[in-house]
Amino acid sequence: MPLTMAKTGETVMIRRIAGRDETRRHLAELGFVVDSSVTVVSEMAGNLIVQVKDSRIALDKTMANRIII
């Protein structure tokens, strides 16, 4: 299921990153790699603020849907 389905406060593991190579590379540079954990900090209208490693990152709904948990 996509990351947008995770609840606020929930920590999940990334299983797959969908999309074109450049999109996957960009997300990997931000810390979104397979088997890493992501915590959903807040959600508003499908847009997310997530914690990856020691950083908080805002993702729009389109990008969050490409991250499969």
Side-chain angles (χ1 to χ4, degrees):
M1 71 180 169
L3 183 59
T4 53
M5 300 294 286
K7 305 275 189 257
T8 301
E10 186 177 7
T11 300
V12 295
M13 295 291 286
I14 297 174
R15 298 294 170 214
R16 185 171 62 90
I17 307 289
R20 297 182 302 185
D21 286 341
E22 58 205 41
T23 302
R24 291 196 317 258
R25 191 175 321 114
H26 176 67
L27 288 171
E29 289 170 355
L30 292 174
F32 295 97
V33 292
V34 174
D35 292 332
S36 66
S37 62
V38 175
T39 303
V40 178
V41 176
S42 68
E43 181 270 334
M44 183 178 289
N47 301 321
L48 301 175
I49 296 177
V50 296
Q51 179 144 0
V52 180
K53 299 181 182 177
D54 292 330
S55 302
R56 286 189 177 187
I57 299 172
L59 291 174
D60 70 346
K61 191 175 193 176
T62 309
M63 283 296 227
N65 277 326
R66 292 186 175 128
I67 301 170
I68 307 302
I69 56 175

